[in-house]
């Protein structure tokens, strides 16, 4: 662990973050976190907090964080999808080898509807991509 704290702290929220400036330069040598902004990564909006006016440096740090955060979220999305593929395979194996009739009765309709919905979307999106290639 490093002994030096970062200058900014980002408290992650569902659509972005609350941004704080970290201050340790006070008499009590305690950590003060002063909110300076709220960030929405979906629409790229940065709202200064209260009467605070963001400096160019603060805004640059926030924009860099937003870019890094979008990369992290994108990576997580793809990881989740690959896990879903694995889980579908594990579910198939379970249904074939270990599931009781009662268990299958409980989940079959929900699984079939979800898989039908997914298949419909995937087929439509694949057709759209193929049509773009042909143009």
């Amino acid at each position: 662990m490093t002994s030096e704290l970062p200058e900014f702290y980002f408290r992650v929220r569902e659509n972005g973050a609350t941004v704080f400036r970290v201050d340790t330069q006070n008499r009590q040598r305690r950590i003060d976190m002063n909110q300076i902004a709220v960030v929405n990564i979906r629409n790229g909006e940065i709202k200064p907090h209260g009467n605070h006016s963001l400096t160019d440096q603060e805004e640059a740090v926030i924009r860099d964080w937003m870019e890094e955060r979008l990369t992290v979220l994108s990576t997580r999305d793809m990881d989740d999808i690959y896990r879903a593929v694995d889980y579908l395979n594990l579910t198939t194996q379970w249904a074939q080898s270990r599931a009781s009739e009662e268990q299958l009765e409980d989940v079959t309709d929900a699984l079939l509807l979800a898989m039908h919905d997914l298949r419909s979307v995937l087929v439509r999106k694949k057709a759209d991509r193929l049509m773009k290639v042909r143009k």
Side-chain angles (χ1 to χ4, degrees), residues 66-119:
M66 291 170 72
E67 190 175 312
E68 289 174 19
R69 182 69 180 164
L70 287 170
T71 301
V72 166
L73 294 175
S74 176
T75 301
R76 284 183 186 167
D77 280 348
M78 287 307 298
D79 187 51
D80 288 345
I81 298 306
Y82 286 121
R83 287 182 200 201
V85 171
D86 287 348
Y87 206 72
L88 283 170
N89 286 315
L90 292 170
T91 302
T92 302
Q93 185 62 33
W94 168 82
Q96 184 177 21
S97 64
R98 295 189 326 269
S100 69
E101 287 187 21
E102 294 81 24
Q103 289 172 319
L104 287 173
E105 188 61 37
D106 286 346
V107 298
T108 296
D109 290 343
L111 282 170
L112 286 172
L113 288 170
M115 291 185 317
H116 174 75
D117 186 29
L118 176 60
R119 184 184 184 283

Side-chain angles (χ1 to χ4, degrees), residues 4-117:
E4 192 171 316
L5 293 173
E7 187 175 359
F8 299 97
Y9 172 71
F10 293 82
R11 181 193 301 151
V12 175
R13 300 164 29 139
E14 186 174 327
N15 296 331
T18 303
V19 185
F20 297 88
R21 180 178 282 282
V22 178
D23 177 22
T24 58
Q25 304 301 319
N26 54 57
R27 286 186 185 167
Q28 296 83 14
R29 293 187 111 5
R30 69 172 195 234
I31 298 171
D32 287 330
M33 296 193 328
N34 303 310
Q35 184 176 348
I36 63 170
V38 174
V39 175
N40 184 323
I41 58 171
R42 288 193 181 157
N43 63 14
E45 189 174 59
I46 301 171
K47 289 184 184 177
H49 179 70
N51 295 328
H52 184 81
S53 294
L54 294 173
T55 66
D56 289 342
Q57 183 226 5
E58 290 171 335
E59 192 165 332
V61 167
I62 291 170
R63 294 221 178 269
D64 287 346
W65 178 87
M66 291 170 72
E67 190 175 312
E68 289 174 19
R69 182 69 180 164
L70 287 170
T71 301
V72 166
L73 294 175
S74 176
T75 301
R76 284 183 186 167
D77 280 348
M78 287 307 298
D79 187 51
D80 288 345
I81 298 306
Y82 286 121
R83 287 182 200 201
V85 171
D86 287 348
Y87 206 72
L88 283 170
N89 286 315
L90 292 170
T91 302
T92 302
Q93 185 62 33
W94 168 82
Q96 184 177 21
S97 64
R98 295 189 326 269
S100 69
E101 287 187 21
E102 294 81 24
Q103 289 172 319
L104 287 173
E105 188 61 37
D106 286 346
V107 298
T108 296
D109 290 343
L111 282 170
L112 286 172
L113 288 170
M115 291 185 317
H116 174 75
D117 186 29

Side-chain angles (χ1 to χ4, degrees), residues 117-133:
D117 186 29
L118 176 60
R119 184 184 184 283
S120 298
V121 169
L122 292 175
V123 167
R124 185 176 68 246
K125 294 285 190 167
K126 179 81 171 193
D128 290 347
R129 288 193 310 275
L130 290 173
M131 294 304 290
K132 284 180 185 177
V133 170

